[in-house]
Amino acid sequence: MKDMIKMGLFLFVVAAVAGVLLAITEDITAPKIAANKKALLEQARKEVLPVASKFSQNEHKTDDKANAVSFSAGFTESGEMAGVVLNVYPKGYAGPIEMVVGLDPQGKITGVKILSQKETPGLGTKLSDPVFMEPFKKLLSSKEKPVFMVKQDGGDVDAITAATISSRAFCAGIRNSLDLYNLIKPQLSSLTPPQALPASTTGGIK
Amino acid sequence: MTGGLISIFIVAVFIENFVLNQILGICPFIGVSNKLDSAVGMGFAVTFVMVMAGVVTWGIQTFILVPLGLEYLQTISFILVIASLVQFVEMVVRKTAPALYQALGVFLPLITTNCAVLGAALLNIKKGYGLVEAAVNSLGAGIGFFFALILMAGIRERLDTAEVPSAMKGAPITFVTAGLLATAFMGFSGLV
Amino acid sequence: MTLMQHLLKGFWKENPIFVIALGLCPALAVSSSLVNAVGMGIAATFVLLGSNIIVSLMRKIVPKKIRIPIFIVIIATFVTIIDKLIAAFSPSLSASLGIFIPLIVVNCVILGRAESFASKNGPMDSIMDALGMGAGFTIALIMIAFFRELLGEGKLFGYAIPFFNSDPALIMIMAPGGFIVFGLLIALKRHMEAKGDAR
């Protein structure tokens, strides 16, 4: 019995020391990890909506709370409405593709970035490569109202060879972002640019 | 809801098969797949522990770690839970079902260091599953492991009688075979 | 054995991956690129070094019956520390290694060394053992990753290699490639040793 208590105590002490060590590590690294996440998000927003310099996080209010759309609104340096950034998750070949899409106030697409995907390496993953992105950007700038479907389906988008499903998913994501844009459009004029960066967004590093 | 659960299950068993696609639990996969009956025993034991561990760790994450802001203790608490769970299961099975213990007993201690069990628990949390989804995903992962193990055991029993170059005998040919099996499983992607 | 021998045995003769066949999951799962292989090798070596030192220092006071849970707590602590450090200082590495960092906890190499070496030897020997085994683990990962990245993507450390990058065999960076390259490498090692013995 005495042995049991001794062993229990020993285990407890070891676990307590471990807990304290981990708490210290967490304290040191947590702000940095949060800052990394934020920087990544910020970079993605700037990439898809280059004219904007400030962003505010918004929620589109609908009666249907479960389907509330959250989006970031971008503003120029002088505080003018520059467009919105939306996240969409179309279903790809092997799971959802996480995409961010930037749209200007006229509802025209300004940029697309793929954040994460599980498509077949070398085929579906080409979605994020210039091979696919460059022609897509050219399409955006050359045509007034492109049809966002792959060419096989009668659209304007060149599908990736041997990865039609991934390409279709990409197009579905774009169409989805346009639908969401139309949904939140009436709300846009009422939005105001964020005030000078609040202290909390700097990640707590002083 | 049920449709979602069925798809989680199918994905876990076939598309993201723990052994052949995610490459988890390789040590027991190679170590215990030389005989069909031990493969069956190990498969059952892992599936059983995996589901229990999936449910318990989900509870710990949701009701203890997150409310207290102690997510950084995730790894340490999960592995301790799995280790004690294995001990507990071993004790219960020995007391209540000696026949089952005879069959599974030797495999139980090995499960603590089976990365598939911890892997399933961590993936449940990472994918943001609810309790039922977590249980289904763990069950699928276990059955997927079971499935890969018996397939491999079946092939290896035949391989024993095949003529293999001496340098390739044993482990090398087993890994190459596993590679071919994994290639076959790639055909399942795009199923859901 | 001298300190040097403790260090060197892990490189090849008792290589944890190729000879003892421990810690295979990370060896196969994250060896699709050299960057991942080096990252995982360093992370595992850090944990191995930390746990070997602590286990060795505590070897006389740890009660025999509960040594395994104690070892696991020690290992898990180091794993969490390195996990957080990688997430803080190299988010991209953290994203590509994913759950394989927390899974270092169940890497049998580390528990195996704690149990079979550090709990019986002094700290200096244990440090050398950890460095040697860690290096052996890393070397094995790099060898597998070298072939997989070269054949599967036509690249090494992310830089395109002429000829190989014209039409790479994608399957090599996917799961099957890991199994096949690993199987062939063990066969090669055996073949070389068999030849050496015959001479």
Side-chain angles (χ1 to χ4, degrees):
Chain A
M1 194 58 208
K2 212 178 140 212
D3 231 26
M4 281 285 270
I5 295 171
K6 209 177 128 201
M7 284 195 290
L9 217 58
F10 193 87
L11 197 58
F12 179 78
V13 170
V14 171
V17 172
V20 170
L21 275 177
L22 290 182
I24 295 170
T25 316
E26 168 78 5
D27 237 33
I28 298 169
T29 53
K32 195 131 175 53
I33 294 171
N36 284 342
K37 251 192 198 149
K38 218 179 145 52
L40 214 65
L41 182 72
E42 198 68 14
Q43 197 202 344
R45 284 168 169 178
K46 286 232 166 83
E47 229 177 291
V48 296
L49 194 62
V51 284
S53 59
K54 295 179 256 189
F55 292 93
S56 68
Q57 193 66 41
N58 295 283
E59 189 112 321
H60 173 63
K61 290 165 196 73
T62 44
D63 303 331
D64 183 8
K65 271 199 181 140
N67 290 324
V69 183
S70 70
F71 63 96
S72 339
F75 299 88
T76 58
E77 202 55 62
S78 55
E80 259 172 280
M81 178 79 215
V84 295
V85 177
L86 287 161
N87 283 56
V88 285
Y89 308 89
K91 208 166 139 288
Y93 187 63
I97 302 174
E98 196 183 350
M99 290 165 56
V100 263
V101 184
L103 299 107
D104 69 9
Q106 281 74 47
K108 205 167 158 24
I109 289 167
T110 54
V112 184
K113 187 179 163 70
I114 295 186
L115 288 185
S116 73
Q117 58 170 346
K118 287 195 258 169
E119 306 304 281
T120 321
L123 298 173
T125 49
K126 279 192 190 146
L127 283 181
S128 10
D129 289 358
V131 196
F132 178 77
M133 275 300 175
E134 286 308 319
F136 183 75
K137 277 182 194 153
K138 213 169 273 169
L139 174 72
L140 287 178
S141 56
S142 64
K143 213 160 174 181
E144 193 50 46
K145 272 207 164 7
V147 181
F148 292 110
M149 284 203 266
V150 294
K151 283 199 171 140
Q152 288 101 308
D153 301 344
D156 290 324
V157 180
D158 279 305
I160 300 163
T161 317
T164 314
I165 296 179
S166 306
S167 313
R168 275 193 186 125
F170 179 87
C171 294
I174 300 284
R175 290 199 303 273
N176 182 219
S177 72
L178 290 174
D179 291 346
L180 291 177
Y181 175 79
N182 287 330
L183 202 69
I184 57 179
K185 202 172 176 183
Q187 203 191 328
L188 288 184
S189 53
S190 67
L191 294 173
T192 48
Q195 300 306 310
L197 285 182
S200 64
T201 56
T202 50
I205 301 163
K206 280 169 201 137
Chain B
M1 184 64 189
T2 28
L5 290 181
I6 291 172
S7 104
I8 287 177
F9 182 75
I10 303 243
V11 167
V13 176
F14 295 106
I15 302 174
E16 295 184 356
N17 184 288
F18 258 50
V19 178
L20 297 170
N21 182 283
Q22 310 264 56
I23 323 199
L24 292 166
I26 300 300
C27 300
F29 173 67
I30 298 299
V32 204
S33 64
N34 45 1
K35 280 233 175 63
L36 201 53
D37 35 342
S38 45
V40 172
M42 185 67 166
F44 270 120
V46 167
T47 309
F48 187 60
V49 173
M50 223 176 213
V51 174
M52 300 237 338
V55 171
V56 175
T57 53
W58 184 89
I60 288 184
Q61 174 81 12
T62 320
F63 299 118
I64 301 178
L65 297 182
V66 173
L68 296 178
L70 293 174
E71 281 104 330
Y72 57 90
L73 292 179
Q74 191 191 50
T75 312
I76 202 166
S77 51
F78 279 22
I79 186 68
L80 284 178
V81 164
I82 291 170
S84 9
L85 205 60
V86 170
Q87 288 274 314
F88 179 71
V89 169
E90 194 182 348
M91 252 154 51
V92 170
V93 173
R94 186 161 48 191
K95 290 257 163 66
T96 57
L100 192 63
Y101 182 75
Q102 280 281 304
L104 300 186
V106 286
F107 304 112
L108 283 169
L110 289 175
I111 294 174
T112 310
T113 50
N114 181 343
C115 55
V117 177
L118 181 60
L122 290 172
L123 281 175
N124 283 339
I125 306 297
K126 207 177 169 203
K127 291 188 175 173
Y129 284 152
L131 178 59
V132 182
E133 292 163 310
V136 169
N137 187 45
S138 298
L139 178 68
I143 290 179
F145 177 81
F146 191 1
F147 195 44
L149 204 62
I150 48 172
L151 274 177
M152 195 67 203
I155 297 175
R156 280 181 77 174
E157 287 196 343
R158 298 254 174 137
L159 265 181
D160 279 348
T161 56
E163 234 176 88
V164 179
S166 64
M168 290 291 287
K169 267 196 186 112
I173 191 71
T174 310
F175 278 102
V176 174
T177 312
L180 297 177
L181 208 53
T183 317
F185 264 67
M186 278 172 57
F188 287 120
S189 62
L191 194 68
V192 174
Chain C
M1 275 208 268
T2 65
L3 285 181
M4 217 49 204
Q5 280 168 318
H6 282 309
L7 179 67
L8 291 176
K9 67 176 188 245
F11 281 40
W12 190 251
K13 224 171 78 210
E14 286 182 36
N15 186 296
I17 301 279
F18 288 128
V19 181
I20 322 183
L22 287 177
L24 295 177
C25 301
L28 297 181
V30 297
S31 61
S32 56
S33 80
L34 281 165
V35 174
N36 284 357
V38 172
M40 176 50 105
I42 293 173
T45 307
F46 170 85
V47 176
L48 194 52
L49 189 60
S51 82
N52 256 16
I53 293 174
I54 303 292
V55 167
S56 161
L57 288 174
M58 287 175 50
R59 70 186 189 281
K60 299 216 173 94
I61 52 168
V62 172
K64 266 256 140 48
K65 272 190 199 152
I66 52 163
R67 66 181 193 288
I68 299 291
I70 300 258
F71 294 167
I72 290 178
V73 171
I74 294 170
I75 294 169
T77 307
F78 282 107
V79 168
T80 311
I81 291 176
I82 193 86
D83 186 13
K84 295 285 172 196
L85 288 178
I86 292 177
F89 294 102
S90 178
S92 61
L93 185 65
S94 167
S96 61
L97 293 180
I99 67 159
F100 282 95
I101 301 178
L103 285 181
I104 297 175
V105 172
V106 281
N107 187 325
C108 342
V109 176
I110 295 165
L111 189 60
R113 291 330 283 177
E115 163 79 2
S116 70
F117 193 92
S119 63
K120 294 173 190 135
N121 290 281
M124 257 337 264
D125 287 340
S126 300
I127 289 174
M128 286 302 166
D129 180 70
L131 289 177
M133 284 292 159
F137 179 76
T138 313
I139 291 170
L141 249 68
I142 288 176
M143 280 173 66
I144 302 170
F146 173 83
F147 288 107
R148 290 183 69 187
E149 196 180 347
L150 184 65
L151 298 175
E153 273 197 290
K155 292 177 182 168
L156 288 176
F157 282 111
Y159 295 105
I161 305 296
F163 176 70
F164 285 102
N165 68 351
S166 60
D167 197 7
L170 288 167
I171 194 145
M172 295 316 258
I173 53 167
M174 292 187 248
F179 287 110
I180 293 171
V181 168
F182 184 62
L184 294 178
L185 279 176
I186 316 179
L188 183 70
K189 182 172 189 293
R190 282 201 195 160
H191 180 69
M192 280 161 60
E193 280 167 0
K195 257 190 157 173
D197 289 343
R199 212 176 287 147

